[in-house]
C-alpha cells in the first residue's frame, strides 16, 4: 500500500551535462492509494571523495620491524541545491491522490565544475535525490546520478597552438652466424 513506482527522468537522454548548463527533469510517482505527505523535496549535489591507505615499515630500537598504516581521506562539496516541489518541511499535510503524479524540477549547474570520475581511490559524483517527506513515518527517497563534463578549450592556451614535429628513428642490424 503506497508507492507502486517512483522514477526520475531528465531532459537529456544520456543524463550528461556541461558545467553551467541547466538540468530539467521530472519525478513520476504512481500511488495505489492516496498518500499524506508534508512535501516533496529535491536535492542536487556535486561532491568528491578520496581515500587511500599507506603502509610503512619501521625498525624499533630492539631490532624488530613494525608496520604502521596511515589512512588518508578527503571530501569536497562542489555545490548543493535543494528545494520543495510540493509543500514544505514545516507546512501542513498534503494529500496526494492515487494514480500517476508528475512533478517537474530544474537546476542551473555552476559554471565551473570538475568532470565526473570514478576510480580506485575516489570519485567525483553528481546526484539528484527526490524525497517524499512523510510526517511521523520514514521518508521515501528516489536517487539517480548524472554526468558532468568539464569542457576544456584548447584554444585558451597559446602553447597548444605551436606546431610539433615528429621524428622517428629506426636502427636495423644484420647478424648472421657461420656453423
Amino acid at each position: 500500500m503506497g508507492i507502486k513506482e517512483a522514477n526520475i527522468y531528465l531532459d537529456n537522454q544520456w543524463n550528461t551535462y556541461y558545467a553551467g548548463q541547466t538540468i530539467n527533469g521530472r519525478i513520476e510517482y504512481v500511488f495505489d492509494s492516496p498518500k499524506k505527505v508534508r512535501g516533496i523535496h529535491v536535492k542536487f549535489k556535486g561532491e568528491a571523495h578520496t581515500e587511500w591507505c599507506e603502509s610503512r615499515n619501521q625498525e624499533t630500537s630492539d631490532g624488530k620491524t613494525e608496520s604502521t598504516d596511515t589512512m588518508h581521506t578527503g571530501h569536497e562539496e562542489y555545490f548543493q541545491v535543494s528545494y520543495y516541489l510540493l509543500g514544505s518541511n514545516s507546512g501542513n499535510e498534503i494529500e496526494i491522490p492515487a494514480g500517476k503524479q508528475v512533478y517537474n524540477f530544474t537546476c542551473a549547474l555552476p559554471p565551473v565544475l570538475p568532470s565526473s570520475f570514478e576510480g580506485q581511490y575516489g570519485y567525483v559524483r553528481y546526484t539528484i535525490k527526490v524525497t517524499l517527506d512523510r510526517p511521523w513515518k520514514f521518508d521515501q527517497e528516489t536517487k539517480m546520478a548524472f554526468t558532468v563534463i568539464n569542457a576544456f578549450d584548447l584554444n585558451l592556451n597559446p602553447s597548444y597552438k605551436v606546431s610539433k614535429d615528429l621524428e622517428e628513428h629506426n636502427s636495423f642490424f644484420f647478424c648472421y652466424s657461420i656453423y
Side-chain angles (χ1 to χ4, degrees):
M1 195 158 166
I3 296 179
K4 287 175 66 177
E5 286 183 44
N7 296 302
I8 297 173
Y9 299 101
L10 300 181
D11 61 341
N12 178 320
Q13 68 181 4
W14 297 281
N15 300 338
T16 302
Y17 298 88
Y18 290 109
Q21 277 189 311
T22 298
I23 298 174
N24 294 301
R26 67 189 186 280
I27 176 83
E28 291 185 3
Y29 288 111
V30 177
F31 298 104
D32 59 6
S33 62
K35 192 76 139 167
K36 290 189 179 195
V37 300
R38 195 173 335 182
I40 298 174
H41 181 261
V42 63
K43 180 177 177 181
F44 299 85
K45 189 174 183 181
E47 63 185 336
H49 180 79
T50 186
E51 183 175 290
W52 73 94
C53 185
E54 285 183 358
S55 296
R56 288 193 181 144
N57 293 325
Q58 293 180 332
E59 193 170 314
T60 62
S61 58
D62 60 350
K64 293 182 181 177
T65 302
E66 285 185 356
S67 178
T68 58
D69 291 338
T70 306
M71 185 63 118
H72 302 280
T73 62
H75 187 85
E76 186 173 4
E77 190 172 289
Y78 299 118
F79 81 99
Q80 181 175 314
V81 174
S82 63
Y83 59 91
Y84 273 82
L85 300 172
L86 177 71
S88 69
N89 69 341
S90 61
N92 296 330
E93 286 185 0
I94 299 167
E95 185 170 280
I96 300 175
K100 183 177 179 178
Q101 307 298 323
V102 179
Y103 301 95
N104 295 318
F105 55 78
T106 188
C107 176
L109 295 174
V112 178
L113 289 172
S115 294
S116 298
F117 172 78
E118 293 285 335
Q120 181 179 358
Y121 301 109
Y123 59 80
V124 175
R125 287 185 189 150
Y126 299 93
T127 56
I128 301 169
K129 181 169 67 172
V130 182
T131 305
L132 200 60
D133 186 356
R134 303 183 325 147
W136 303 101
K137 294 184 179 180
F138 290 112
D139 292 342
Q140 293 176 312
E141 298 178 344
T142 306
K143 191 173 181 179
M144 78 172 298
F146 62 94
T147 302
V148 171
I149 298 173
N150 183 348
F152 186 71
D153 188 354
L154 295 175
N155 295 314
L156 296 177
N157 189 331
S159 67
Y160 295 149
K161 294 179 183 178
V162 177
S163 65
K164 303 291 181 197
D165 293 324
L166 173 67
E167 285 186 32
E168 191 173 308
H169 296 280
N170 292 323
S171 300
F172 297 97
F173 297 96
F174 180 69
C175 182
Y176 68 94
S177 62
I178 299 176
Y179 293 98

